[in-house]
Amino acid sequence: MHCPFCRHPDSRVVDSREAEEGAAIRRRRSCPNCGRRFTTVETAVLAVVKRSGVTEPFSREKVMRGVKRACQGRQVDNDALNLLAQQVEDTVRASGSAEIPSHEVGLAILGPLRDLDEVAYLRFASVYRSFSSADDFEREIEDLRAHRASAPIE
């Protein structure tokens, strides 16, 4: 780690602590050259492998954009969308893999979205699963009804 003050190529870790509920490590560092202290925050990079083979960093904002598009015109507030995006990120990170296929991200979105808003779920699923006919919608609606019937009553 380069010192941000004198650009010395080395630093010494003085203190390490968990940050962001264990998703990151906050390190207090000291430069042996100038003696100044600075803080770094380290997070594990989670990469998404797209169908084309291209790898890009996981983006909670990108998940939010896709789900917002599916929820357009629905009574879904931003807090619920933020919570859904957090659940998706937690699910994806829980896999323990540094790289995850985009298909897995889509699957991680479908579960919480189904519980959040069924219409938004159908919209998202129709694009994600490339529905090509009304039969695809009918099958998905039947699955939704079966899920609703088996879900515990709150």
Side-chain angles (χ1 to χ4, degrees):
M1 180 80 218
H2 287 278
C3 173
F5 305 107
C6 70
R7 305 299 302 157
H8 187 65
D10 197 16
S11 63
R12 184 173 68 84
V13 175
V14 178
D15 182 41
S16 292
R17 296 179 187 197
E18 277 189 8
E20 299 173 26
E21 299 175 4
I25 298 174
R26 181 182 168 274
R27 297 197 195 278
R28 193 76 180 130
R29 296 177 176 270
S30 175
C31 176
N33 189 47
C34 69
R36 294 179 78 178
R37 290 186 174 202
F38 57 99
T39 302
T40 59
V41 178
E42 299 172 20
T43 58
V45 175
L46 179 62
V48 176
V49 181
K50 304 191 97 168
R51 290 181 189 143
S52 64
V54 175
T55 302
E56 67 180 40
F58 175 83
S59 167
R60 191 186 302 182
E61 289 73 31
K62 193 168 181 179
V63 169
M64 290 271 298
R65 276 195 310 272
V67 173
K68 257 186 186 166
R69 207 171 301 126
C71 292
Q72 201 166 13
R74 305 292 301 160
Q75 294 295 318
V76 179
D77 65 352
N78 277 338
D79 288 342
L81 293 177
N82 283 324
L83 181 61
L84 184 140
Q86 181 63 50
Q87 288 173 325
V88 169
E89 184 173 356
D90 291 346
T91 301
V92 169
R93 286 193 184 278
S95 74
S97 178
E99 289 186 344
I100 188 149
S102 60
H103 175 75
E104 295 291 324
V105 177
L107 290 176
I109 291 170
L110 286 173
L113 185 56
R114 178 180 51 218
D115 297 333
L116 180 66
D117 186 277
E118 291 179 344
V119 173
Y121 168 80
L122 281 173
R123 289 176 179 170
F124 189 88
S126 69
V127 173
Y128 175 71
R129 293 189 173 140
S130 304
F131 287 7
S132 58
S133 69
D135 293 338
D136 295 332
F137 279 96
E138 287 176 12
R139 260 192 308 279
E140 198 64 42
I141 290 169
E142 283 304 313
D143 289 346
L144 255 177
R145 287 183 177 139
H147 173 75
R148 190 187 316 148
S150 68
I153 299 172
E154 294 178 8

